[in-house]
Amino acid sequence: MFDLIPSSRGWCLDAGDHRGLWFADREIAVAAAERSAQLRHRLSRRPTGVQVQVQDKWVLLARYG
């Protein structure tokens, strides 16, 4: 799962196996997370997706597989 976590003045992308990609713009962060999740699914054929943290909850934005 690819997680988008609000961070200081932007968004941090946590890909499970690595963390630290930071984006200032939410829309760009979502697009990058979706592309990464699609690619991981295509290469591994394992289900994955994108979720974003909103306050104390997680909201699923996309699912692949």
Side-chain angles (χ1 to χ4, degrees):
M1 188 62 68
F2 288 77
D3 299 330
L4 286 172
I5 304 162
S7 67
S8 59
R9 293 181 278 160
W11 297 87
C12 182
L13 176 59
D14 181 354
D17 55 351
H18 64 280
R19 185 179 203 167
L21 294 176
W22 182 85
F23 300 88
D25 184 79
R26 182 182 183 272
E27 296 304 316
I28 293 172
V30 168
E34 288 177 343
R35 281 192 310 273
S36 297
Q38 287 174 338
L39 180 60
R40 182 173 287 178
H41 173 65
R42 259 189 257 140
L43 294 174
S44 70
R45 294 294 179 209
R46 292 174 39 201
T48 188
V50 177
Q51 61 185 8
V52 63
Q53 186 178 21
V54 179
Q55 294 177 1
D56 293 339
K57 298 183 181 190
W58 290 96
V59 177
L60 184 65
L61 298 180
R63 183 172 46 190
Y64 305 97

